[in-house]
Amino acid sequence: MAFLTTRHALFIGAALALTTALSSPSFADTTLSFLIDNAPNTVAWANQLKTDFEAANPDIKIDIEQRPGGADGDNLIKTKLATGDMSDVFNYNSGSLFQEINPTQNLVDLSNEPWQADVLPSFKQVVTATDGSVRGAPFGAAMGGGVLYNIPMFKELGLTVPKTWDEFMANNEKIKAAGKVPVIQTFGDTWTSQLFVLSDYFNVAAAVPNFAADYTANKAKYASTPAAMAGFQHQADVFKAGYLNADFAAAKFEDGVKDVATGKGAQYPMLTFAVSTVQTLAPEILKDVGFFATPGTDAAKNGVTVWEPAGLYIPASNKDHLDAAKKFVAFVVSKQGCDSLNKAGGGTGPYLIKGCTLPADVPPAVSDLQTYFNAGETNSPALEFLSPVKGPSLEQITVAVGSGITTPADGAAQYDDDVKKQAQQLGLPGW
C-alpha cells in the first residue's frame, strides 16, 4: 500500500511539474531585441530599463538596437514590418503615425493584458486599431510642445514668459539687441522643424473648436483657416526677422538642447522630453531650462499642446519570444518601470499609468509644464491624437518655410495636398 501511495505521489508530482512547465514558459537563454529611436534620452531610458529588467529577470537578456528619428526612422519601421524583420519589441509614435503602420495586421493585440487596467484611457485611444483592439503600451510620459528657454538669460534681460505671439517677438527683439541668439532651430534633424506648426494646435482649437473633426472629414484646410495657418507664418516670422542661429540649417537636435541649456541661444521650440536629454548631457545646468507654451493671440486663452507618450509594440512576426516580450512590456508599464524611467531622467511630464509618480525634485521645465495641467482647461492633445490625418512631408515643408524658400501660404497649401494620399489610404470618408 505504501508503494502504491509513493508511486501515486510521484505521478501527481510529475503531472504538476509538467503543468507548471506548460503554463509558465521557460526563458532560459532568451535574448530580446529591442529597437528604439536614437535620441539620447530614449537611449538612456532603454539602458536603464534593460539594467533593471535583467536584474529582476536574469533569464532574459535585452539587446538594444537603434534607428534614426524622423522620416528615415518612419521608413525603416515600415520596411521592417513589411518584411517580417522587426525586432522583438520596438518603440514608435502613437496617434496618427501608429495608424500608418497597419496595426491590425502588423502588431500583437495587447487588449487583454492585465496591466491594461492601469493604463489611462487617454493613452489607450491613441494605440487602438480600427478593429477596436489596443495594440500598444505607453513608453515614457506625456509631453508638452512649446518653447524651452534659458532662465538665466531671461532674468538677465528682464524678460517675462510671453503669452501672446506679439510678446514673444518683442522678447526676441530685446534678445537680439543684447547680441544674443533669440531662437534656435535645428533643421539638420528635419523632424525638429515642425514644432512651431504642431505645438500651435492648442491655439487653433481655441479659435476653431471643430477643426480636428472638420479636418478629418476634409471640410477644413490649413491654407484656408487663418488660425491653422499661423504656425507656418510663425516659422517664417522668426527667419525673416533674423532671429535664428547662424547654423540653423545644419544644427542637430542635441545642438539645440545644449545651446538653450548653456545660454548660447535663448529659446528652442521643442517638446519637453528634451529635458531628459539635458539631464543626460549636462545635468548640472538642468535648473537653467524652463518651458512655456507656444503663444497665441489671446493671453487670456494661453495653453499648451500635449503629446501622448510614444508606444511600445510587439510585432506580429515575433513568434519565438512572444511571452518574453510581453513580460518586458509588462515591466515597462509597471511602477518599477516608471521608477527606472525616473532614474534615467524620463520623468518629463505626467505618466499615464496608475501608480506612477514623478520625482519630488523635477526640473523647472517639468514644473512649468505641470502648471498647464493644474489650471483647468489649459491643455489640448496635439492634432495627431485627435485626427488620423498627418501627412508624411510636413517636416520637409516646414524646413522650406523656416528657411525662407517657401512662403507660409504655399507651405500650408502643400501640406493640405500632402495629407490627401494618407487620408485616402485610410479610407476616410470625404476624401
Side-chain angles (χ1 to χ4, degrees):
M1 190 68 171
F3 171 74
L4 291 175
T5 301
T6 301
R7 185 171 66 176
H8 183 60
L10 290 172
F11 174 78
I12 292 174
L16 287 173
L18 179 61
T19 300
T20 301
L22 290 174
S23 61
S24 302
S26 172
F27 299 118
D29 300 322
T30 295
T31 299
L32 283 177
S33 54
F34 179 27
L35 179 65
I36 60 170
D37 64 75
N38 61 2
N41 58 291
T42 310
V43 175
W45 299 352
N47 282 325
Q48 189 64 56
L49 287 166
K50 167 185 167 69
T51 297
D52 294 339
F53 176 78
E54 289 181 348
N57 302 272
D59 50 351
I60 304 175
K61 303 300 179 187
I62 304 294
D63 180 19
I64 298 172
E65 303 168 341
Q66 296 184 34
R67 63 168 176 82
D72 290 341
D74 295 340
N75 292 333
L76 180 65
I77 290 287
K78 292 173 184 177
T79 299
K80 281 182 166 291
L81 288 172
T83 59
D85 189 38
M86 179 53 77
S87 305
D88 295 320
V89 182
F90 70 100
N91 90 302
Y92 189 56
N93 298 62
S94 55
S96 60
L97 289 177
F98 161 81
Q99 299 296 343
E100 284 190 31
I101 60 175
N102 195 355
T104 305
Q105 175 180 319
N106 289 325
L107 305 179
V108 170
D109 185 350
L110 301 175
S111 303
N112 296 321
E113 296 302 309
W115 47 261
Q116 289 285 10
D118 293 327
V119 177
L120 299 186
S122 59
F123 179 78
K124 290 183 184 181
Q125 69 180 354
V126 299
V127 289
T128 295
T130 54
D131 65 352
S133 60
V134 180
R135 303 271 168 164
F139 183 63
M143 301 172 285
V147 181
L148 300 176
Y149 73 99
N150 184 268
I151 296 173
M153 189 185 300
F154 266 50
K155 289 181 178 179
E156 176 191 343
L157 300 179
L159 305 177
T160 57
V161 168
K163 292 187 176 181
T164 68
W165 187 256
D166 288 344
E167 292 173 357
F168 177 72
M169 293 298 279
N171 278 354
N172 289 338
E173 192 58 31
K174 292 176 183 177
I175 296 165
K176 184 180 180 182
K180 303 177 186 296
V181 175
V183 179
I184 302 162
Q185 291 281 36
T186 53
F187 293 173
D189 280 324
T190 54
W191 67 268
T192 68
S193 70
Q194 304 171 89
L195 263 296
F196 271 135
V197 172
L198 298 181
S199 68
D200 198 45
Y201 185 71
F202 177 90
N203 300 316
V204 177
V208 189
N210 294 327
F211 183 80
D214 289 344
Y215 177 69
T216 304
N218 198 22
K219 295 178 181 178
K221 300 290 185 182
Y222 270 87
S224 57
T225 307
M229 243 274 289
F232 290 94
Q233 185 63 53
H234 294 164
Q235 193 116 35
D237 287 346
V238 293
F239 170 78
K240 289 181 179 178
Y243 292 153
L244 304 184
N245 46 309
D247 64 342
F248 74 91
K252 301 276 192 176
F253 165 72
E254 285 188 39
D255 300 319
V257 172
K258 289 177 184 175
D259 287 353
V260 74
T262 59
K264 187 175 179 180
Q267 300 156 117
Y268 183 34
M270 186 42 59
L271 298 165
T272 52
F273 84 90
V275 173
S276 61
T277 302
V278 180
Q279 188 167 32
T280 300
L281 299 176
E284 69 280 1
I285 53 176
L286 192 60
K287 67 183 185 306
D288 291 342
V289 181
F291 171 82
F292 59 84
T294 298
T297 58
D298 186 350
K301 296 181 179 179
N302 180 243
V304 71
T305 303
V306 178
W307 268 254
E308 297 286 333
L312 201 60
Y313 308 105
I314 302 174
S317 58
N318 181 350
K319 307 296 184 184
D320 297 331
H321 300 141
L322 180 58
D323 289 320
K326 287 185 175 182
K327 192 175 184 69
F328 177 62
V329 172
F331 175 84
V332 174
V333 297
S334 68
K335 186 180 184 305
Q336 291 81 2
C338 294
D339 290 343
S340 288
L341 292 176
N342 284 340
K343 282 190 282 186
T348 55
Y351 285 114
L352 301 185
I353 303 168
K354 296 175 185 176
C356 286
T357 57
L358 293 172
D361 56 343
V362 295
V366 178
S367 297
D368 292 341
L369 172 61
Q370 190 65 48
T371 63
Y372 295 98
F373 287 84
N374 297 338
E377 297 181 5
T378 55
N379 62 81
S380 167
L383 180 59
E384 63 192 78
F385 302 107
L386 300 172
S387 171
V389 181
K390 187 175 188 291
S393 300
L394 179 59
E395 59 195 71
Q396 286 77 31
I397 295 169
T398 47
V399 164
V401 173
S403 303
I405 298 168
T406 301
T407 67
D410 286 345
Q414 288 172 13
Y415 187 56
D416 286 335
D417 187 61
D418 182 49
V419 303
K420 188 182 303 181
K421 183 178 179 181
Q422 188 214 12
Q424 291 173 341
Q425 288 175 340
L426 292 173
L428 298 177
W431 293 85

